[in-house]
Amino acid sequence: MHPAAQQAISTLLAEGKTPSVATVKAKLTEPLPMPVIIAALASYKNNPEAITHTAQQSQPAPAKPQSQLDRIEAKLDKLLALLEEKQ
């Protein structure tokens, strides 16, 4: 299962919500293809305990979540810096 999908499902479960394609997609930290989201949900529904066991084992270090806009701005800054170097 893709780590981002697993994290989204874990977050939803921690909030007491039932994971669905729409709710998982809304909680994703990075864009994923729809088949990956559906496969992750199917995996969770077949074995719900796998999410909780894996989430407990691989607790990521707390980090400030970076919004998609922040990531785009950082990439744009890098591109502009590269363009300025070539001029």
Side-chain angles (χ1 to χ4, degrees):
M1 179 182 313
H2 195 280
Q6 182 177 357
Q7 181 64 34
I9 293 171
S10 295
T11 302
L12 288 166
L13 293 173
E15 294 173 357
K17 297 179 181 176
T18 303
S20 68
V21 173
T23 57
V24 170
K25 186 172 181 176
K27 289 288 181 185
L28 288 173
T29 57
E30 61 185 74
L32 289 179
M34 195 62 68
V36 173
I37 298 170
I38 293 169
L41 269 173
S43 177
Y44 162 71
K45 288 181 181 181
N46 288 332
N47 188 9
E49 294 177 3
I51 293 288
T52 55
H53 290 299
T54 309
Q56 290 172 353
Q57 291 173 355
S58 64
Q59 295 262 333
K64 181 181 175 188
Q66 190 178 21
S67 73
Q68 186 174 6
L69 181 58
D70 292 337
R71 290 191 304 269
I72 292 170
E73 287 177 349
K75 287 179 183 178
L76 181 59
D77 290 340
K78 287 179 185 176
L79 288 171
L80 289 172
L82 286 172
L83 283 173
E84 288 175 1
E85 287 177 8
K86 292 186 177 193
Q87 288 181 352

